[in-house]
Amino acid sequence: MSPSEMRELAGQAALRGQASVAFDLSEALISRDDTDLNAHLIRSRAARDLGRNEDALRHARRGWSLADDAQSQYAAALATAQALSSDGRRTSAQFWLRRAIELAPNETLKQRAAEDLVYVRRRNPWSTQLRFSVAPSSNINNGSRNDSSELFGLPFEFGLEGEAQALSGVEISTGFSTRYRLTENDRMRRDLTFGVSHRTYILSEDAKDIAPDAQGTDFATSSAYVALGESHALSGGTARLGWNAQLGRRWYAGDPLLDYTRIGANYRRATSKRGQVSAGISREGQDGVGSRDDATILRASLGYGIALRNGDQVSLSTHAVQSTSDADYLDYDQRTLSASYTMAKPVGPAKLDFGISISEKHHDASSLTPDGRDERAIEARVTAALTEMDFYGFMPTVTLNAEKTDTNIDLYETENYGIQLGVRSAF
């Protein structure tokens, strides 16, 4: 046989599952010419089928070093990912699959690599998320939109100065979370999760004029937590019941603010091929650090989501929060109603996601008025994911936010308009 005939025979043997034949034939080709790219890729496939994962990875990497165009680089990246996944190194395999997605010479091959990525990610016990966003905002400190306010029931207004007023600037937010799946079978999943986040601000020149002594780090917040959770499949296969427990700490302006413990339960059930209902409850105990007061927070939620026939997704949810504390500002009841609509097909260069939420919050008592405190807030957003600018399966997002809070105490009336720049996985 000529080298081309032997290469064709080896490839056909690999496709038919004759791994030993493909392995031996590709060895002969590589002995003849170590720069035979296709022979290395065939041998990698055959070695993987034979359970020789180290050989599979070695030849896939050799193929990558020989690849000199998008088509061959795609094939070598896919072979490397497959060898790593077979060896149990699924996090590294996901990186190589994203590289294959970036190099894919056409949409069909790109979709194949994307499907492999979803499959490997589901089988990976490790799941890590990185978050980063930059968000110019008209109100980074949640300050009042008013210049003055009536206080203590007196018949005149007090002027609001400095940090009591809304300060504009830029929010910079980062976060990291990783989940390790301790146990998984047909009935149960058990996960251990760890996460950290940090949010800081840069004041605008106008904000510096309003509050010359303030710095963006004065409003910075950080958090860290560790959590353990389980999810159990119920009989019938359409519902899951789970629980989770979480320990964490939060910081404000670099100083410890509070420690908390949270325990909760959740329930999800498919109501049709495209619909799902969900519910959750939790109890959080907050132990204030320094001058921060203690609080106990109860939460409950109910939601419904459905995928429409055209692929668009609609969701509705309601949330209830009850916080009890000896401190007026931490003793309240809150109700929130939210809705979102996600479009399946892009509009021009972007996939659009719309959301709106309306909430009411009531404090029985307030140190500023004898009538307690009532708030009504509305928030709207639209997010555009720029699908044509994806890189390694990630695409930039632009979110427009608008928030407004009305209350019976002028000091707490706020407005915030901003734009947030972030990154999202396309798969």
Side-chain angles (χ1 to χ4, degrees):
M1 290 186 293
S2 67
S4 60
E5 291 172 333
M6 184 177 291
R7 193 178 298 111
E8 176 68 19
L9 182 60
Q12 290 297 326
L15 292 174
R16 290 195 298 264
Q18 299 173 325
S20 295
V21 175
F23 191 80
D24 292 339
L25 290 174
S26 58
E27 181 182 20
L29 288 167
I30 293 170
S31 297
R32 170 186 170 273
D33 179 8
D34 186 54
T35 64
D36 190 331
L37 168 63
N38 289 331
H40 281 287
L41 296 183
I42 293 170
R43 192 167 174 83
S44 176
R45 165 70 180 271
R48 184 167 62 91
D49 291 345
L50 292 170
R52 303 175 62 163
N53 296 326
E54 287 301 321
D55 286 337
L57 183 57
R58 178 164 56 86
H59 287 285
R61 285 175 170 167
R62 177 59 175 155
W64 173 259
S65 70
L66 295 170
D68 57 3
D69 58 58
Q71 181 89 24
S72 57
Q73 287 176 335
Y74 169 85
L78 205 60
T80 303
Q82 291 167 344
L84 287 166
S85 181
S86 296
D87 198 36
R89 298 154 67 177
R90 295 189 176 92
T91 300
S92 298
Q94 287 176 227
F95 167 77
W96 280 94
L97 284 169
R98 289 192 178 275
R99 177 171 277 183
I101 290 170
E102 183 65 20
L103 294 166
N106 57 57
E107 284 300 319
T108 300
L109 294 178
K110 183 176 182 177
Q111 185 60 33
R112 176 192 170 185
E115 291 172 356
D116 286 352
L117 174 63
V118 173
Y119 174 79
V120 171
R121 185 166 56 201
R122 287 176 178 169
R123 296 187 50 141
N124 191 358
W126 286 103
S127 177
T128 300
Q129 293 183 335
L130 301 175
R131 299 179 298 278
F132 177 79
S133 64
V134 178
S137 171
S138 63
N139 191 352
I140 66 172
N141 62 325
N142 203 33
S144 175
R145 67 174 185 253
N146 301 305
D147 296 328
S148 60
S149 174
E150 291 185 1
L151 301 175
F152 315 112
L154 298 174
F156 55 87
E157 293 189 344
F158 291 83
L160 301 179
E161 298 180 355
E163 297 177 18
Q165 296 187 50
L167 303 178
S168 60
V170 177
E171 173 192 298
I172 301 174
S173 179
T174 59
F176 164 85
S177 63
T178 185
R179 180 222 71 198
Y180 182 74
R181 182 143 291 167
L182 300 170
T183 305
E184 182 173 22
N185 53 49
D186 293 340
R187 304 290 298 177
M188 188 267 285
R189 295 193 295 257
R190 181 182 296 120
D191 296 331
L192 180 66
T193 307
F194 170 76
V196 295
S197 64
H198 179 68
R199 181 180 298 143
T200 189
Y201 303 90
I202 300 175
L203 295 177
S204 67
E205 293 301 320
D206 289 341
K208 292 177 182 178
D209 292 337
I210 296 172
D213 296 329
Q215 299 181 13
T217 54
D218 295 340
F219 314 106
T221 59
S222 305
S223 67
Y225 71 89
V226 60
L228 179 67
E230 288 186 1
S231 176
H232 297 261
L234 303 182
S235 59
T238 61
R240 299 193 72 91
L241 180 65
W243 65 267
N244 59 82
Q246 187 175 122
L247 301 174
R249 167 168 279 202
R250 297 175 187 147
W251 291 261
Y252 184 76
D255 297 322
L257 180 67
L258 61 89
D259 297 318
Y260 71 89
T261 58
R262 181 189 303 159
I263 187 167
N266 56 80
Y267 174 81
R268 292 185 292 111
R269 182 181 182 86
T271 58
S272 64
K273 291 184 178 180
R274 300 188 303 272
Q276 178 176 273
V277 64
S278 61
I281 57 172
S282 69
R283 180 188 185 279
E284 179 177 310
Q286 297 182 349
D287 296 322
V289 179
S291 60
R292 172 79 177 195
D293 294 281
D294 298 342
T296 299
I297 300 177
L298 302 178
R299 295 183 176 91
S301 64
L302 179 65
Y304 178 74
I306 188 170
L308 305 180
R309 294 186 182 277
N310 63 358
D312 293 358
Q313 295 183 347
V314 180
S315 66
L316 299 170
S317 63
T318 181
H319 303 263
V321 179
Q322 183 184 65
S323 176
T324 56
S325 172
D326 293 334
D328 294 342
Y329 69 103
L330 291 175
D331 195 356
Y332 62 85
D333 296 305
Q334 186 174 18
R335 305 289 183 271
T336 304
L337 181 64
S338 302
S340 68
Y341 189 96
T342 302
M343 303 182 69
K345 296 182 178 180
V347 177
K351 289 184 67 174
L352 299 179
D353 180 0
F354 304 89
I356 187 170
S357 66
I358 302 171
S359 68
E360 290 187 349
K361 188 177 181 182
H362 173 70
H363 298 253
D364 286 332
S366 172
S367 59
L368 302 178
T369 175
D371 300 324
R373 175 173 143 205
D374 292 300
E375 295 181 4
R376 295 164 303 282
I378 183 170
E379 177 182 358
R381 62 164 177 81
V382 56
T383 298
L386 306 179
T387 56
E388 296 182 2
M389 298 177 63
D390 70 288
F391 180 71
Y392 275 61
F394 295 98
M395 53 188 177
T397 61
V398 180
T399 301
L400 301 178
N401 284 305
E403 305 173 42
K404 183 178 181 181
T405 300
D406 293 314
T407 176
N408 59 328
I409 303 176
D410 295 344
L411 177 64
Y412 297 111
E413 291 189 337
T414 64
E415 286 183 354
N416 186 16
Y417 303 96
I419 181 171
Q420 184 180 52
L421 308 178
V423 178
R424 173 193 301 176
S425 177
F427 311 103

